[in-house]
Amino acid sequence: MSQQDPGAQEPQGGDRPAESGGARSKDPGIDGAPEAQGPAHDDGGPGFGPNIQPVPPNGQPGWGVQPERGNQPERGNQPGWGAPPAWGKQPEWGVPTSSQPGQQHWGTPPPPYQGSPYGQPSYGQPPYNQPRYVAPPKPGIVPLRPLMFGEILDGSFQTIRRNAKAMLGAAVLAQSLAAILAAVITAVSATSLVSFEAWAENATPADLASLGLGFLAAILVVLVLTLFISAVLQGAMVVPVARSILNRPTGFRQMWRLARSRAWALARLAALMMTAGLLAFLVLAGIAVALVVSMEGTGALLLIPLVPAFIALFVWIYIKLMVAPAAVVIEELGALDGLRRSWSLTRANWWRIFGITLVVSIMVSVIGQVVMIPVSLLPTFLGGFISPHGGTEQEIGIAVAVGVATAVLGALIGAVGYAFQTSVMALIYMDLRMRKDGLDIALLRLMETGADPEGIPGRGTTATGPGPVPGTGPGGAWPNGR
């Protein structure tokens, strides 16, 4: 019986021989024999449990070597994908280095755009083979395309700034008669208030009636003259707006020279519109009197919906005929033809024009009221602080001075508002013609050729239809706002 060596212990961990099918292999560290490996089961970490790996001999593969799976290619024998040329043998320009499909070669032009490998256009490329966007030119106050609301407002301000003499000068003339009338009435009323009271005490009813009729007749004459002058000057002020689109400045004399031939047509247009408005008012007044007389209380109730309906009809007709002065001047039409042209241009655009006109009217009225508030407070300030104990003569003098200052300031504010509203009207007309007649293309050709530098852009231009549809123009397309 051999005794066991007390120093020899059973191998642990990685020194323990692996079991294979119930047979224990010899320790390679003792006799150097290779291990008889059985089927590998990865049931645990190496060196623990049933997945015990033997110590590899020198020159053998390391731990955890997996069995080969198929025929792996040797290192250095990988399949080539368009192998680069050898050093010093670069390919010539225009000569492909490989016949691989879809590969870009040096010296060859890029293929037509096909999108990215993921089906999306790459950065900087127009999508789906569409031409690049080209912004429309803007030689003057607005771009040569159908306009938006902000561009109309901005173009109106720029027109007044670039052509201040023509626009503000004509507007001041248009408002001058009304301002002079207001100043004269204020001065006469203030200076003759005491004497008029004394005269009225001894005057007969016939004298009072004749005085009142004469006063009303004078006011009507001044108002009619103001309307005619305003209509003519409103048509003339369309000329600087049209010329500013192509960045052509216009003076007052040049404006009047270009619009002088259309003065009588504008006067006839003003007469037609004023007559139509007067007839409409007389018809409404006649209907109201007839209802009240025939139906008494019931007729008065019927007037409640009748008056708003009449106002709505008046506004609708006014918007339809608003651009008639611009059509008369630029297209050289008569009064009736200008009304028909305005009716045709505003078709399918009524609500848009109404919104722009309403916003502009509110802006002008609010700004005017804000500026006139300090002037309206002047009589109280001057009478209460400067001459609190003044007599009647001082009060009359203060009233006259304040009345004249109010009339002058009101005329200036009215002139600026009138010029701005006229500019908006003219730009609405040009916008409608760009949408319906393709005027933007005609203006672009006129800008490129530089023809007729002293004329009115758009005069003599026939309707050619709307402009290009996006995506069809050469080298890009303009946004179609029609």
Side-chain angles (χ1 to χ4, degrees):
M1 181 176 178
S2 62
Q3 293 182 355
Q4 196 174 11
D5 188 1
Q9 297 180 0
E10 189 174 351
Q12 298 179 1
D15 297 335
R16 184 178 300 170
E19 295 180 359
S20 177
R24 183 183 301 267
S25 61
K26 295 182 180 180
D27 189 354
I30 300 175
D31 53 6
E35 177 189 9
Q37 298 180 358
H41 298 283
D42 191 8
D43 296 331
F48 298 94
N51 191 18
I52 301 174
Q53 300 293 335
V55 177
N58 295 332
Q60 296 297 326
W63 293 101
V65 177
Q66 300 295 330
E68 296 181 357
R69 298 181 181 181
N71 296 325
Q72 300 294 334
E74 297 180 2
R75 180 177 295 275
N77 294 328
Q78 302 292 336
W81 296 91
W87 182 264
K89 297 180 179 181
Q90 299 294 335
E92 299 179 1
W93 290 99
V95 180
T97 59
S98 176
S99 60
Q100 296 293 336
Q103 185 174 357
Q104 179 67 29
H105 307 295
W106 292 99
T108 59
Y113 172 72
Q114 301 293 337
S116 65
Y118 302 101
Q120 299 294 333
S122 58
Y123 180 77
Q125 292 283 356
Y128 312 114
N129 291 328
Q130 295 293 328
R132 293 178 180 273
Y133 170 77
V134 178
K138 184 182 177 182
I141 56 175
V142 292
L144 297 182
R145 59 165 171 78
L147 306 177
M148 295 182 291
F149 174 67
E151 293 169 341
I152 291 176
L153 296 184
D154 180 66
S156 302
F157 283 114
Q158 291 192 42
T159 301
I160 298 174
R161 182 175 60 85
R162 298 184 183 189
N163 308 277
K165 293 181 179 179
M167 298 297 293
L168 295 180
V172 168
L173 286 178
Q175 301 292 320
S176 60
L177 286 180
I180 292 172
L181 177 63
V184 169
I185 291 176
T186 302
V188 170
S189 301
T191 54
S192 62
L193 181 61
V194 178
S195 60
F196 178 77
E197 291 179 354
W199 176 82
E201 291 178 356
N202 301 322
T204 61
D207 295 336
L208 294 176
S210 61
L211 179 64
L213 289 176
F215 186 72
L216 290 177
I219 292 178
L220 286 177
V221 169
V222 173
L223 288 178
V224 169
L225 289 176
T226 301
L227 288 175
F228 275 96
I229 294 175
S230 299
V232 174
L233 291 175
Q234 184 183 31
M237 291 164 66
V238 175
V239 175
V241 179
R243 289 176 54 83
S244 296
I245 293 179
L246 295 183
N247 198 22
R248 297 175 178 178
T250 308
F252 184 83
R253 292 183 178 179
Q254 186 179 15
M255 176 192 70
W256 180 244
R257 178 177 57 82
L258 293 173
R260 183 173 52 192
S261 61
R262 313 308 307 157
W264 287 112
L266 291 170
R268 291 193 297 270
L269 177 65
L272 285 175
M273 297 185 71
M274 187 171 56
T275 303
L278 181 60
L279 289 176
F281 177 77
L282 292 177
V283 169
L284 176 64
I287 293 175
V289 171
L291 288 175
V292 172
V293 171
S294 61
M295 309 179 80
E296 296 181 354
T298 307
L301 291 176
L302 291 176
L303 290 178
I304 297 176
L306 183 62
V307 173
F310 175 79
I311 295 175
L313 179 63
F314 177 81
V315 171
W316 181 70
I317 295 177
Y318 171 76
I319 295 297
K320 294 291 291 183
L321 304 178
M322 188 179 69
V323 297
V328 168
V329 173
I330 294 182
E331 300 184 48
E332 297 182 307
L333 302 176
L336 290 176
D337 292 336
L339 294 175
R340 295 191 190 100
R341 179 62 168 160
S342 177
W343 196 279
S344 174
L345 286 175
T346 54
R347 185 178 295 118
N349 286 277
W350 190 91
W351 284 106
R352 179 172 174 270
I353 300 172
F354 172 73
I356 295 174
T357 307
L358 180 63
V359 172
V360 170
S361 301
I362 293 174
M363 288 174 54
V364 171
S365 62
V366 169
I367 294 175
Q369 292 296 326
V370 170
V371 175
M372 291 298 295
I373 286 175
V375 179
S376 63
L377 299 177
L378 280 178
T380 304
F381 175 77
L382 294 176
F385 293 94
I386 295 180
S387 59
H389 304 290
T392 306
E393 294 182 356
Q394 282 188 338
E395 293 179 358
I396 293 175
I398 292 174
V400 171
V402 172
V404 172
T406 303
V408 172
L409 185 59
L412 293 177
I413 296 173
V416 175
Y418 185 77
F420 181 68
Q421 290 177 312
T422 302
S423 301
V424 170
M425 181 271 294
L427 286 178
I428 288 176
Y429 166 77
M430 303 297 285
D431 170 68
L432 293 175
R433 288 198 63 187
M434 289 180 188
R435 294 173 184 269
K436 294 181 178 291
D437 298 344
L439 182 63
D440 48 351
I441 306 301
L443 294 178
L444 177 62
R445 294 169 182 165
L446 188 63
M447 179 189 70
E448 292 175 346
T449 59
D452 195 16
E454 300 298 326
I456 302 177
R459 176 174 285 184
T461 303
T462 57
T464 59
V469 179
T472 60
W478 299 352
N480 192 353
R482 299 174 176 85

